Amino acid sequence: MAVERTFSIIKPDATRRNLTGKINAVIEGAGLRIVAQKRVRWTRAQAEKFYEEHKARPFYGELVDFMTSGPIVLQVLEGENAIAKYREVMGATDPKEAAEGTVRKLFAESKGSNSTHGSDSPAAADREIALNFRLDEIVG
Ligand code: DAT
Ligand code: MG
């Protein structure tokens, strides 16, 4: 297995409830290192571009509304097998289906308001990191 980087977002439902530190504790407890982090508020254009693969889905408008509804924390996580590992640490998209101990089981409110994003493939991780961080903002 190789050391990889993945892209993570702590979503507006989680920043609103002051859960950034608790989610970071789960991330670090799983052995992933936070090698870049910044708190921002996305414009609609930024959210639309980030989620453009979902443009045709019925929940796209709601997703863009939600992701621009408050501050978010953008992160790059590094570790062995980081992409698959963080998907496991997050749990299923719908917290009702998420395994015990996962971030979404612990903290998510609903399928839409689900506290975290994590890249789902190496190509997605590369694209999502490049969209959100300059190289000199990532310190491994
Ligand atoms: P994931 O974030 O687990 O990779 P996804 O890529 O299928 O899930 O969808 C992106 C986000 O869109 C997801 O985190 C929450 C929202 N979403 C997905 N399916 C939804 C649905 N049926 N209703 C409302 N929001 C949904
Ligand atoms: Mg996804």
Side-chain angles (χ1 to χ4, degrees):
M1 263 189 291
V3 173
E4 289 177 335
R5 286 178 173 174
T6 193
F7 179 70
S8 155
I9 306 176
I10 299 176
K11 295 186 178 182
D13 67 287
T15 62
R16 177 170 45 77
R17 288 175 291 146
N18 218 17
L19 293 171
T20 300
K22 288 204 167 79
I23 292 173
N24 281 349
V26 177
I27 290 169
E28 293 184 334
L32 293 163
R33 304 183 73 82
I34 301 165
V35 295
Q37 176 168 264
K38 60 186 172 189
R39 180 171 162 115
V40 303
R41 183 151 179 179
W42 269 352
T43 63
R44 290 193 74 80
Q46 285 174 302
E48 283 168 359
K49 179 152 188 64
F50 183 81
Y51 279 116
E52 68 190 0
E53 69 170 313
H54 295 307
K55 205 170 218 153
R57 310 276 284 275
F59 58 81
Y60 181 68
E62 192 186 312
L63 176 59
V64 171
D65 287 345
F66 171 61
M67 291 302 291
T68 56
S69 68
I72 56 179
V73 179
L74 310 178
Q75 300 174 318
V76 180
L77 310 181
E78 186 177 270
E80 287 287 328
N81 206 21
I83 297 164
K85 180 181 265 187
Y86 190 49
R87 296 287 296 186
E88 253 183 65
V89 168
M90 286 200 303
T93 308
D94 185 341
K96 289 194 218 104
E97 289 158 23
E100 288 300 328
T102 60
V103 172
R104 283 164 165 172
K105 177 71 174 188
L106 287 166
F107 303 119
E109 297 178 317
S110 66
K111 193 169 189 177
S113 190
N114 64 358
S115 301
T116 49
H117 166 87
S119 310
D120 64 7
S121 68
D126 286 349
R127 171 186 176 269
E128 293 171 1
I129 291 170
L131 266 178
N132 289 285
F133 285 98
R134 298 191 315 265
L135 274 183
D136 68 351
E137 293 178 309
I138 306 169
V139 184

